[in-house]
Amino acid sequence: MKRIFSKGLVFNICIIASVIILLLSLLAGCGKKKVSVHSDPEINKVKQTEKEEHNNVTSFSSDNYICKLTGEVIYQKDEHQVIAVMINNEPGAIPQSSLNQAEYLYEALIEGGATRIMAIYHHTYPKKVGPIRSARPYFMQIAKSLNAYYVHCGGSPQAYRLFKQGYIPHIDAIYTGGGIFYRTFDRKAPHNLYSTMESLIKYFDKKGYKKQQGYKFYPLTDSVVNKYTSENSKVKIRFSGWYYVKYEYDPVKKAYKRFVKEKPHIDKETGVELFAKNLIILVAKYDTIKNDDKGRQEVDFSKGKGYLLQEGKTIPITYTFDIKNSFIMKDNDGKEIKLLKGKTWFEIVPQYGEIEIN
């Protein structure tokens, strides 16, 4: 028997079927795990980016921004040029400004029994650097070996002969207009000349000296592993009859606290004490330049012996120096030494100086 369905009936059946299918699909979904939009990695990534942009924060992997000189995390996205600044270390200039922000520091004897310090800056931006003093050829050699740009105020006749030959890119406060260097009124000249890292960077940028593509840095390590170590806690280094420095090992900081004679060496701006994670003592040959009216020194550090002090341990070393490789330092097995992550002080001591390690 043939059955005839009206159009209205067919329509109602379709509606009922659709409702049943919808209910079945909802029931089937009840057994599945809920997915929150907040667990979607792409959505979270967008939200995190929006949050960081709102807070004016640039997000980047710290592994990509490690200072090659110290192994420390760099919070500036771009490192600036390697800049070497000549720092006054005479009694009237102590304490200095921003030595605590330098990555490497080199101390060597000058005329009169005093020393001078060359501070190396690569990723810090101190607002006050100094007091700045004059150039000496042996500091210029080290700066050149680091592929650094050199900052000074004046220099010895020997230094100026090298500048005339184009030995190293440099800025001389004597021949540079205002806006880069300035003097303060709390000290007398020549112990009161300063600059800012921002001003120095802008100067070298303007001169076309951009960030160096190649520069010297030493292999780094997290701990001291060397069979030739001996224990130490105090070091005294005498450069001349009246000047010496001391270092005392701090087992909490795992670093060496620096003293000028018997007083802690501090940063003038912050009062922070100066520490060295690595203390390198290099014995060099000093001679007074013949017929020099000031008794200026010439220094031969082409090769020699010394000590590396790390984490309360002393490692005897030998070293060589050349312009392409700077100081290459090796232990008694002839293996190149590694530096701990942190600041490094180089003490270039005359052959007649006194070194006491206890």
Side-chain angles (χ1 to χ4, degrees):
M1 182 175 65
K2 188 175 181 180
R3 295 186 180 184
I4 300 174
F5 295 90
S6 68
K7 291 183 179 180
L9 180 60
V10 172
F11 178 79
N12 290 335
I13 291 172
C14 290
I15 292 295
I16 293 170
S18 298
V19 171
I20 292 171
I21 292 171
L22 178 62
L23 289 172
L24 289 173
S25 64
L26 290 174
L27 289 171
C30 289
K32 294 182 179 179
K33 184 179 179 180
K34 286 187 176 181
V35 178
S36 169
V37 294
H38 298 294
S39 66
D40 187 320
E42 289 301 316
I43 294 176
N44 281 341
K45 184 177 180 181
V46 172
K47 287 182 175 291
Q48 181 66 21
T49 301
E50 291 173 347
K51 182 179 179 181
E52 289 171 348
E53 289 176 350
H54 176 72
N55 294 329
N56 195 27
V57 174
T58 301
S59 177
F60 56 86
S61 170
S62 62
D63 292 338
N64 294 330
Y65 297 94
I66 300 295
C67 176
K68 292 180 180 179
L69 302 185
T70 65
E72 297 169 320
V73 176
I74 299 172
Y75 295 103
Q76 288 82 10
K77 193 169 183 179
D78 293 316
E79 297 171 318
H80 60 69
Q81 301 99 322
V82 180
I83 295 179
V85 185
M86 291 303 301
I87 303 293
N88 190 339
N89 196 46
E90 295 176 28
I94 300 172
Q96 299 93 334
S97 298
S98 301
L99 288 181
N100 61 317
Q101 295 189 52
E103 284 84 21
Y104 292 166
L105 299 110
Y106 296 82
E107 182 173 22
L109 190 66
I110 59 170
E111 61 276 9
T115 65
R116 194 150 292 169
I117 295 170
M118 184 173 71
I120 306 298
Y121 299 92
H122 186 32
H123 74 263
T124 55
Y125 294 79
K127 295 180 179 179
K128 185 178 181 182
V129 182
I132 297 171
R133 282 301 301 269
S134 56
R136 295 292 181 272
Y138 41 97
F139 283 109
M140 294 166 62
Q141 283 181 279
I142 298 171
K144 185 177 178 66
S145 75
L146 298 172
N147 199 15
Y149 303 147
Y150 193 70
V151 180
H152 63 105
C153 177
S156 65
Q158 299 82 7
Y160 272 113
R161 282 197 287 270
L162 290 175
F163 288 134
K164 288 180 180 179
Q165 297 169 13
Y167 184 76
I168 189 172
H170 71 107
I171 178 173
D172 187 345
I174 289 181
Y175 299 104
T176 305
I180 298 177
F181 298 94
Y182 64 93
R183 291 194 182 273
T184 61
F185 298 100
D186 58 336
R187 293 173 173 175
K188 295 181 179 180
H191 309 309
N192 61 349
L193 181 69
Y194 299 88
S195 186
T196 70
M197 192 54 55
E198 183 179 2
S199 297
L200 297 172
I201 291 169
K202 287 181 178 179
Y203 172 85
F204 287 116
D205 277 341
K206 187 176 180 180
K207 290 292 184 179
Y209 298 123
K210 302 299 182 181
K211 188 175 75 171
Q212 300 91 327
Q213 295 302 309
Y215 54 89
K216 172 69 179 184
F217 57 90
Y218 293 93
L220 298 170
T221 184
D222 291 315
S223 60
V224 179
V225 181
N226 193 289
K227 63 184 179 182
Y228 296 106
T229 61
S230 58
E231 300 295 321
N232 67 65
S233 60
K234 295 182 180 181
V235 186
K236 182 178 180 180
I237 305 169
R238 182 174 291 279
F239 281 86
S240 66
W242 65 270
Y243 178 80
Y244 62 90
V245 293
K246 293 172 63 178
Y247 291 88
E248 292 185 2
Y249 181 64
D250 184 331
V252 176
K253 292 182 177 290
K254 293 186 177 181
Y256 293 87
K257 180 179 175 180
R258 178 179 161 91
F259 295 77
V260 176
K261 295 187 175 181
E262 301 300 321
K263 294 183 178 180
H265 198 173
I266 64 171
D267 174 62
K268 183 177 185 296
E269 306 309 310
T270 62
V272 171
E273 295 174 330
L274 302 185
F275 281 85
K277 197 72 173 179
N278 306 284
L279 175 57
I280 298 173
I281 304 172
L282 305 175
V283 180
K285 184 181 179 182
Y286 283 74
D287 284 306
T288 301
I289 297 174
K290 189 175 181 179
N291 298 325
D292 187 275
D293 60 343
K294 302 294 185 182
R296 296 183 183 93
Q297 301 292 298
E298 58 183 6
V299 186
D300 178 5
F301 42 62
S302 56
K303 62 180 180 179
K305 296 181 179 181
Y307 305 95
L308 167 64
L309 282 70
Q310 299 172 319
E311 292 187 342
K313 297 179 175 64
T314 304
I315 304 172
I317 61 172
T318 58
Y319 73 87
T320 58
F321 175 89
D322 63 67
I323 291 298
K324 289 185 178 181
N325 300 294
S326 197
F327 290 104
I328 297 178
M329 298 165 286
K330 298 181 179 181
D331 65 16
N332 288 343
D333 283 336
K335 295 180 180 178
E336 187 172 2
I337 63 168
K338 294 182 179 181
L339 301 184
L340 293 172
K341 296 176 181 178
K343 314 291 185 184
T344 300
W345 276 82
F346 293 79
E347 300 288 356
I348 303 174
V349 184
Q351 71 276 21
Y352 49 80
E354 298 175 3
I355 302 169
E356 300 176 18
I357 302 176
N358 301 310

